[in-house]
């Protein structure tokens, strides 16, 4: 994931910063506990495409 792109991307719901989970290939919003997928190097920043992070899943 390009660092410059990661610096400007924010959660489309709450506008907080996102963290990149390289292993899972997702952008994580810690505030909303959502994981946005990355397909072919392109972040999919749609709420309906994001998965909810379970309470027991640790957010890095």
């Amino acid at each position: 994931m390009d660092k410059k792109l990661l610096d400007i991307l924010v959660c489309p719901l709450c506008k907080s910063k996102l963290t990149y989970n390289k292993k899972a290939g997702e952008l994580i919003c810690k505030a909303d506990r959502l994981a946005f997928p990355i397909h072919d190097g392109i972040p999919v920043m749609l709420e309906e495409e994001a998965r909810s992070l379970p309470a027991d899943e640790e957010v890095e």
Side-chain angles (χ1 to χ4, degrees):
M1 174 109 264
D2 182 37
K3 179 158 175 29
K4 288 182 182 181
L5 181 58
L6 187 56
D7 286 343
I8 61 170
L9 283 176
V10 295
C11 175
L13 303 174
C14 70
K15 309 300 185 234
S16 65
K17 284 193 72 106
L18 300 170
T19 57
Y20 177 48
N21 183 329
K22 185 175 182 176
K23 185 176 177 182
E26 298 174 322
L27 293 173
I28 308 295
C29 175
K30 293 179 183 181
D32 291 325
R33 298 199 54 80
L34 291 174
F36 296 92
I38 300 172
H39 297 296
D40 298 321
I42 301 169
V44 181
M45 304 304 294
L46 300 171
E47 180 181 5
E48 56 271 9
E49 293 291 321
R51 73 176 178 93
S52 294
L53 297 172
D56 63 343
E57 185 173 338
E58 189 171 321
V59 179
E60 296 176 8

